[in-house]
Amino acid sequence: QRPTLVIAPNKTLAAQLCAEFREFFPQNAVEYFVSYYDYYQPEAYIPSSDTYIDKDASINDEIDRLRLSATKSLITRKDVIVVASVSCIYGLGAPENYYKSMVHIKKGEELERDLLLQKLISIKYSRNDMAIERGTFSVKGDVIEICPAYERDIIRVEYYGDKIEKIYTRDKITGKSLAEHAEQTIFPATHFVTNEQSLERGLKGIELELQEQL
């Protein structure tokens, strides 16, 4: 009942182990954390022909969701088993920035609708009123629907004025209401989030380096 990391040498073995652990520990959060690249071509330069090859990559959307789901489980509960490939050793940004970026909402809370939308955009969610997909939200009057980057279900937030009247989850496919909640935490849509202060520091550093280069 403590966070446990199991590292496998490749994605295939990690997937097999993950499936077995889910059978052994049906009550625990057993998560899969591997590289989300289906294809990766690093940038390269061939001096003999003066050829530059640009970086190219294809990201697997479902594996990205599973990586974010693993992060959410590690933050919200203790009984987590993460089955990973060696990609788990690579940095994912500062954990403190990730913690600070989480958006917490409560039923009955006074929170302006537009302020909630700004918070969602700041943690890398984008608005899509036509087709709600992973990492997006839609707005229809006093109703905001959020499709978390780490879930398959949708969080529906209903407003009355500036007050959150109702929070519940619904099935993305059928639209059926699954459960009503007193509160919910919405985690960032990506591991790579940064606060405004860090961004300002980074920009100043880039500007200084630019001046030196010039």
Side-chain angles (χ1 to χ4, degrees):
Q1 305 305 311
R2 297 182 66 181
T4 304
L5 175 63
V6 179
I7 303 181
N10 57 59
K11 287 183 182 182
T12 306
L13 185 55
Q16 184 184 331
L17 285 170
C18 191
E20 289 175 1
F21 277 128
R22 281 175 180 157
E23 288 183 18
F24 295 148
F25 305 101
Q27 305 303 318
N28 293 51
V30 180
E31 302 284 359
Y32 182 63
F33 193 100
V34 299
S35 170
Y36 52 35
Y37 290 115
D38 281 338
Y39 164 77
Y40 184 79
Q41 164 67 55
E43 64 179 353
Y45 176 67
I46 304 168
S48 58
S49 58
D50 192 28
T51 305
Y52 171 72
I53 301 168
D54 200 2
K55 183 173 78 172
D56 188 23
S58 171
I59 291 176
N60 185 304
D61 194 65
E62 177 63 9
I63 292 178
D64 188 35
R65 185 190 71 79
L66 291 168
R67 285 165 65 92
L68 290 161
S69 174
T71 308
K72 180 206 169 191
S73 292
L74 286 167
I75 291 171
T76 56
R77 53 196 291 183
K78 295 279 188 187
D79 59 338
V80 183
I81 300 166
V82 179
V83 184
S85 64
V86 290
S87 70
C88 70
I89 68 174
Y90 297 109
L92 291 173
E96 58 269 20
N97 287 342
Y98 191 87
Y99 290 132
K100 287 175 186 174
S101 299
M102 296 186 296
V103 176
H104 194 68
I105 53 174
K106 282 184 181 180
K107 183 180 176 181
E109 177 185 14
E110 291 276 352
L111 177 66
E112 286 183 27
R113 192 201 71 162
D114 288 352
L115 182 57
L116 176 56
L117 299 182
Q118 286 172 20
K119 287 184 175 185
L120 291 172
I121 290 166
S122 73
I123 59 171
K124 306 301 180 185
Y125 283 80
S126 59
R127 182 170 176 171
N128 187 339
D129 293 335
M130 300 300 290
I132 190 162
E133 298 169 347
R134 195 177 71 84
T136 67
F137 64 89
S138 72
V139 186
K140 291 170 187 170
D142 289 334
V143 176
I144 300 171
E145 291 198 325
I146 307 152
C147 189
Y150 44 87
E151 298 280 8
R152 288 198 175 96
D153 299 326
I154 285 170
I155 298 171
R156 184 180 172 97
V157 183
E158 294 183 1
Y159 268 87
Y160 184 77
D162 286 337
K163 183 187 280 188
I164 295 174
E165 190 176 43
K166 194 182 282 188
I167 304 168
Y168 58 92
T169 48
R170 72 169 181 86
D171 188 283
K172 184 181 175 183
I173 307 298
T174 64
K176 183 182 176 184
S177 179
L178 300 173
E180 191 168 340
H181 308 279
E183 54 188 299
Q184 275 279 42
T185 300
I186 300 154
F187 296 82
T190 173
H191 286 115
F192 302 98
V193 287
T194 187
N195 57 43
E196 211 168 303
Q197 292 82 4
S198 300
L199 198 60
E200 284 294 325
R201 279 200 307 272
L203 288 170
K204 283 176 184 173
I206 291 167
E207 283 173 3
L208 284 171
E209 190 177 336
L210 173 63
Q211 309 236 333
E212 286 174 17
Q213 293 291 337
L214 292 171

